[in-house]
Amino acid sequence: MASSSPSSSSAVKRLSNLSNHLCPTNSNPLVKVSAQVSQALSTGLPVVALESTIISHGMPYPQNLETAKEVEAIVRDNGAVPATIAILDGVPCIGLNLEQLERLARMGKSAQKTARRDIAYVVATKRNGATTVSATMFFAAMVGIPLFVTGGIGGVHRHGEHTMDISSDLTELGRTPVAVVSAGVKSILDIPRTLEYLETQGVCVAAYKTNEFPAFFTKTSGCKVPCRLDIPEECARLIDANRKLNLGNGVLIAVPIAKEYSASGSLIESAIQQALTEAREKNITGNAETPFLLARVNEITGGASLASNIALVKNNAAIGAKISVALAQLLK
């Protein structure tokens, strides 16, 4: 047998760096990958996946559209290609154009909030779905995007020991090899129990430039993290090692909100307690609870929490893009 050429050998080596869990782009006929994202993936350029629930359920139109466009611009400005993910008319779309972004923003809450469990139904019935963390991770892994940026992940709900209300984001992190950059866990949730659950799932939890796990609206939660990373290159090496070892799970990189946007911890906690009481009184549970709680906390705080939410998403996008660039350079 003829020996392989240096170029084919290096190509095989690059492919071997990818986890067995990640499939080639455009490999699934049900999924539509935008031309820009497809080209970036095929040439080894950095790509950052973005969710769409924050567009449909996170804030009203047109603020949601402007925020989505600004977040994508931040990713581009920091050297990566943004890939916002959503299901439109039953077609999972990886990378939305401006027309699709506006359509989703105008839909608002009429788009179905789509976690992993909902994907097949939304596709089969040709509905419109805004992807949560779990669904976005699933599609990112399917097409080979190694990193995803969001505001905050879901987790174990307060009183979850009685209700068993645990976000599918956590189990997705335990079985899907995509790195997630977030401002920690939404502070409306039970952060200590969420971290315990992530440990059970075998998920590496790291904090960026801090030893403490951030609490979404605030920089601190009182919970220490097992790993600290201080520069994008360190984050990239962790993601690369996790994938090369074929551990099969994701990595959570928690980035604290910038100090100037950090809300008062006591103010937020008071608002959360009031919102939780109202949710119980109105019997709001399941996937309707988080949007309700975030909206009520924003109302109670006079809009301060939404401003913080937008600021932290933008900060995460900038840092996530830098990590994606460092990872792409590492894999070359």
Side-chain angles (χ1 to χ4, degrees), residues 6 31 81 87 95 108 116 119-120 139-140 176 200 216 229 239 251 268 292 308 327 332:
V31 176
V81 175
I87 302 174
R116 172 191 267 260
I119 293 172
F139 286 121
T176 302
T200 301
F216 197 62
L229 304 167
I239 297 167
V251 172
I268 291 293
F292 171 81
S308 295
L327 181 61
K332 282 185 178 178

Side-chain angles (χ1 to χ4, degrees), residues 142-227:
M142 176 184 289
V143 301
I145 301 174
L147 187 138
F148 159 48
V149 165
T150 185
I153 66 166
V156 179
H157 282 249
R158 300 191 188 199
H159 311 294
E161 68 274 23
H162 302 297
T163 64
M164 293 301 292
D165 192 348
I166 301 171
S167 171
S168 62
D169 297 353
L170 304 186
T171 48
E172 199 66 37
L173 275 160
R175 64 181 169 188
T176 302
V178 171
V180 177
V181 177
S182 81
V185 178
K186 295 180 178 74
S187 49
I188 57 174
L189 306 172
D190 187 326
I191 294 176
R193 283 193 171 92
T194 297
L195 292 174
E196 289 287 350
Y197 196 93
L198 285 169
E199 180 184 1
T200 301
Q201 291 290 314
V203 177
C204 178
V205 177
Y208 192 72
K209 294 186 178 181
T210 181
N211 296 312
E212 189 168 336
F213 192 76
F216 197 62
F217 293 126
T218 58
K219 293 172 69 70
T220 59
S221 65
C223 300
K224 299 298 182 183
V225 291
C227 308

Side-chain angles (χ1 to χ4, degrees), residues 129-141:
T131 56
T132 64
V133 170
S134 64
T136 306
M137 286 183 70
F138 172 81
F139 286 121

Side-chain angles (χ1 to χ4, degrees), residues 193-313:
R193 283 193 171 92
T194 297
L195 292 174
E196 289 287 350
Y197 196 93
L198 285 169
E199 180 184 1
T200 301
Q201 291 290 314
V203 177
C204 178
V205 177
Y208 192 72
K209 294 186 178 181
T210 181
N211 296 312
E212 189 168 336
F213 192 76
F216 197 62
F217 293 126
T218 58
K219 293 172 69 70
T220 59
S221 65
C223 300
K224 299 298 182 183
V225 291
C227 308
R228 172 176 173 149
L229 304 167
D230 288 296
I231 57 174
E233 290 75 15
E234 289 179 351
C235 299
R237 287 196 290 271
L238 174 63
I239 297 167
D240 185 47
N242 186 73
R243 294 175 64 191
K244 285 179 177 176
L245 288 166
N246 282 326
L247 288 170
N249 52 257
V251 172
L252 178 61
I253 300 173
V255 179
I257 186 172
K259 185 177 181 180
E260 60 267 31
Y261 294 105
S262 181
S264 163
S266 58
L267 172 67
I268 291 293
E269 184 58 32
S270 175
I272 289 171
Q273 290 300 330
Q274 182 179 333
L276 284 167
T277 299
E278 293 177 12
R280 286 195 295 272
E281 290 173 349
K282 296 179 180 180
N283 197 31
I284 297 173
T285 59
N287 66 4
E289 185 175 23
T290 295
F292 171 81
L293 292 175
L294 290 175
R296 280 299 291 137
V297 169
N298 183 55
E299 291 171 5
I300 295 166
T301 60
S305 66
L306 180 57
S308 295
N309 194 349
I310 293 171
L312 65 84
V313 170

Side-chain angles (χ1 to χ4, degrees), residues 71 74-75 78 149 232 312-323:
V71 169
I74 289 168
V75 171
N78 284 278
V149 165
L312 65 84
V313 170
K314 291 179 179 179
N315 185 49
N316 294 347
I319 293 171
K322 291 173 184 175
I323 295 171

